[in-house]
Amino acid sequence: MSAAQSGENAIPKRGSWSQNVRSELASEFIDFCARVPQIRNRLLPRALEYFRRSNLEVNPYNNPPRVLELRYITMRNLFNSFARALEDGRISPRVRRAFIKNLIGGAIMGKPDDDWPFFQRYGYDPPSVLVLAPSQVCNLSCRGCYANSHTKTRATLPYDIVTKILDEKREDWGSHFTVLTGGEPLLYKSQGKTIFDVLAHAHEDYHLMYTNGTLINRDVAKRMADLGNVSP
């Protein structure tokens, strides 16, 4: 029996029903604050300072300090960009809600119970993000492409495999953040489905899509805004 499972050395269960409820309520509260400029502008610096302290000064698992610092810098830049987009009116209500519920509430704050089975089994936290290339198909042939994608590459994961991967990483890891890369994700087609079907299926997640942008027109932009859970 491992230390994690035995008597006085047992690792306390980090999640509970009440903690999960608090996480949901926190997402609703953050969404309310984000809609009110005066509140948003006052709370954002405090939230960033709290995030800095909780990441850089509290390190129970002895993670490398530089990794924690880079994580904080990434989140700080993300929050500041989100605040500027809200100020400029560049984010629709659906995108705002998905960003807060799926990314902040799900991926950053997390529901404490989600990753407990993984932690209990392996003794460390699961990955919080998955990088997935559903297809190598691309409409460009860029010299030096890191994925070796071009107009003649056709390797593509079946739709049911892609959705299975996304379901399992959320259920087994408690992960709610996915990076979609390629190839060009907007060219993904499998079993009569497109990347928008993938995004709709994984509606509890937030997705960062690496795209060359050449296929984003008004219709594509509207579909992204309607889904709310993807950022190119």
Side-chain angles (χ1 to χ4, degrees):
M1 181 177 293
S2 69
Q5 297 171 314
S6 61
E8 61 183 13
N9 293 323
I11 300 172
K13 194 173 190 303
R14 296 175 299 170
S16 68
W17 177 85
S18 61
Q19 285 177 308
N20 290 337
V21 170
R22 285 199 295 270
S23 178
E24 291 287 344
L25 292 176
S27 295
E28 293 297 327
F29 176 72
I30 293 171
D31 186 52
F32 168 77
C33 294
R35 298 197 306 267
V36 183
Q38 296 87 344
I39 299 177
R40 181 175 70 236
N41 294 336
R42 287 179 65 88
L43 290 185
L44 180 60
R46 299 182 184 182
L48 289 174
E49 175 59 20
Y50 172 80
F51 192 78
R52 185 193 69 79
R53 290 200 308 270
S54 63
N55 274 269
L56 301 183
E57 298 177 10
V58 180
N59 188 9
Y61 303 112
N62 296 316
N63 291 319
R66 182 58 176 165
V67 171
L68 298 178
E69 181 183 0
L70 290 174
R71 181 188 181 196
Y72 163 70
I73 292 172
T74 300
M75 292 300 103
R76 181 193 64 192
N77 294 343
L78 182 65
F79 290 160
N80 285 330
S81 296
F82 179 65
R84 287 194 299 270
L86 285 172
E87 194 73 29
D88 297 341
R90 291 184 281 114
I91 291 184
S92 71
R94 188 182 294 271
V95 172
R96 184 198 71 237
R97 288 192 295 270
F99 182 93
I100 292 172
K101 182 178 180 180
N102 296 5
L103 183 58
I104 298 179
I108 297 175
M109 294 172 58
K111 293 182 178 179
D113 278 343
D114 284 354
D115 62 359
W116 175 248
F118 186 100
F119 184 88
Q120 191 176 39
R121 181 174 181 179
Y122 298 105
Y124 54 88
D125 288 333
S128 57
V129 58
L130 173 73
V131 179
L132 176 63
S135 175
Q136 203 179 11
V137 175
C138 191
N139 60 326
L140 299 180
S141 297
C142 300
R143 180 178 298 178
C145 174
Y146 72 95
N148 194 31
S149 296
H150 48 79
T151 55
K152 296 182 180 180
T153 52
R154 290 292 178 266
T156 298
L157 288 173
Y159 173 79
D160 56 350
I161 297 298
V162 171
T163 53
K164 181 179 175 66
I165 291 171
L166 294 175
D167 289 344
E168 289 186 351
K169 68 98 181 179
R170 183 176 60 254
E171 294 165 2
D172 296 344
W173 299 355
S175 170
H176 291 265
F177 185 48
T178 304
V179 176
L180 295 173
T181 181
E184 171 53 55
L186 289 172
L187 285 175
Y188 176 77
K189 292 182 181 179
S190 172
Q191 300 171 349
K193 306 292 187 179
T194 71
I195 197 66
F196 295 107
D197 295 296
V198 173
L199 295 169
H201 175 88
H203 60 90
E204 296 180 36
D205 296 351
Y206 199 83
H207 306 82
L208 177 64
M209 182 190 295
Y210 285 176
T211 171
N212 58 43
T214 59
L215 301 176
I216 299 179
N217 53 29
R218 287 185 178 273
D219 291 337
V220 171
K222 185 178 185 305
R223 294 190 72 178
M224 290 184 181
D226 288 344
L227 284 165
N229 64 344
V230 59
S231 177

